[in-house]
Amino acid sequence: DVKVTQSSRYLVKRTGEKVFLECVQDMDHENMFWYRQDPGLGLRLIYFSYDVKMKEKGDIPEGYSVSREKKERFSLILESASTNQTSMYLCASSLFYSRSSYNEQFFGPGTRLTVL
Amino acid sequence: AQTVTQSQPEMSVQEAETVTLSCTYDTSESDYYLFWYKQPPSRQMILVIRQEAYKQQNATENRFSVNFQKAAKSFSLKISDSQLGDAAMYFCAYRSAFGAGSYQLTFGKGTKLSVIP
């Protein structure tokens, strides 16, 4: 089974702090994703990566950056956390689409981030 | 851009009964994939069922089945013999088959399903 893990389940930070959220997958997936989940808004894509050192902006990249130095690891960075970034953050991974027609995404357990 | 609409923010079903969650989507593409994901309270999101647009046969996974109406752009999820463990948020998602959109999923806003004992 695919396993996607995230470094923390719960995180509390202060406004202005730099925040790192880490995600690791163990199935050699090429694609990795960071989503933000808010009540009534569903999941919104922040960034995704289809290869090491490659990244693409999603729908809401403002205020975030990402890093992918190794295939299995994808980090989300909040350079200067703000209260409106309080949310649930979900990481996901999938095979490159040519290797799997469905290319379904496998999700981590999520990190609930609170910015005070 | 594609959009996915789940018109029922919340639903409830009696244990052992059948419930249908609705999902519609807007696209100009003819080839794409559709998914239903389940997110139990405080637990990981998992894939429930998936459907390829060019397959006319509706997908089925045990108690879960879909009613895929391509012309109507509708992709509803039917849960038969509902169990307490089915209580969760359910998300409908769309993925393009080709191009830049093939990398990412577009999600609906979710339907919270409660199961009444």
Side-chain angles (χ1 to χ4, degrees):
Chain A
D1 284 348
V2 175
K3 190 169 184 183
V4 180
T5 57
Q6 295 182 229
S7 51
S8 305
R9 288 302 302 271
Y10 300 94
L11 208 53
V12 179
K13 296 292 182 179
R14 296 208 174 272
T15 302
E17 280 192 81
K18 191 170 185 176
V19 182
F20 292 87
L21 303 182
E22 302 265 310
C23 175
V24 177
Q25 51 94 4
D26 67 357
M27 285 300 292
D28 200 36
H29 283 175
E30 289 85 0
N31 299 334
M32 295 189 75
F33 307 82
W34 275 107
Y35 292 91
R36 172 175 171 158
Q37 182 179 11
D38 298 289
L41 297 179
L43 279 75
R44 294 178 291 168
L45 182 66
I46 304 172
Y47 268 97
F48 70 96
S49 169
Y50 54 89
D51 200 353
V52 175
K53 297 190 185 295
M54 305 304 290
K55 61 184 179 183
E56 293 286 342
K57 292 180 180 179
D59 301 317
I60 51 165
E62 297 78 19
Y64 303 94
S65 62
V66 291
S67 172
R68 192 162 180 207
E69 297 296 320
K70 293 184 177 182
K71 190 175 185 180
E72 68 271 18
R73 189 178 298 271
F74 192 36
S75 301
L76 179 69
I77 303 156
L78 287 67
E79 294 289 344
S80 178
S82 64
T83 55
N84 62 13
Q85 291 178 310
T86 292
S87 187
M88 171 71 86
Y89 291 89
L90 297 178
C91 176
S93 72
S94 71
L95 287 167
F96 188 66
Y97 74 93
S98 67
R99 293 175 58 199
S100 167
S101 61
Y102 280 108
N103 197 30
E104 65 260 36
Q105 293 182 16
F106 296 85
F107 286 83
T111 295
R112 186 167 293 282
L113 173 67
T114 302
V115 182
L116 302 175
Chain B
Q2 290 76 29
T3 58
V4 177
T5 301
Q6 293 180 247
S7 59
Q8 306 146 318
E10 294 189 30
M11 290 193 72
S12 62
V13 62
Q14 206 76 31
E15 197 175 1
E17 297 295 308
T18 296
V19 64
T20 299
L21 309 183
S22 66
C23 172
T24 59
Y25 54 94
D26 186 23
T27 185
S28 59
E29 300 171 336
S30 59
D31 203 3
Y32 48 86
Y33 300 91
L34 296 164
F35 306 87
W36 277 100
Y37 280 88
K38 169 186 177 181
Q39 188 181 38
S42 301
R43 292 180 61 188
Q44 211 143 337
M45 187 173 299
I46 58 173
L47 180 68
V48 174
I49 199 165
R50 57 194 190 182
Q51 175 83 39
E52 299 176 73
Y54 57 84
K55 284 191 176 178
Q56 294 189 351
Q57 186 173 5
N58 288 325
T60 299
E61 290 285 344
N62 301 314
R63 297 182 296 106
F64 298 87
S65 62
V66 297
N67 182 6
F68 173 49
Q69 303 286 331
K70 191 172 183 178
K73 297 178 184 176
S74 172
F75 183 60
S76 60
L77 174 70
K78 185 171 85 171
I79 306 173
S80 303
D81 185 26
S82 297
Q83 301 175 359
L84 295 177
D86 295 332
M89 282 290 290
Y90 286 83
F91 292 96
C92 178
Y94 172 105
R95 183 178 76 78
S96 300
F98 302 105
S102 63
Y103 284 106
Q104 61 184 87
L105 292 172
T106 299
F107 286 87
K109 294 183 178 180
T111 296
K112 184 179 181 181
L113 178 67
S114 301
V115 180
I116 303 165

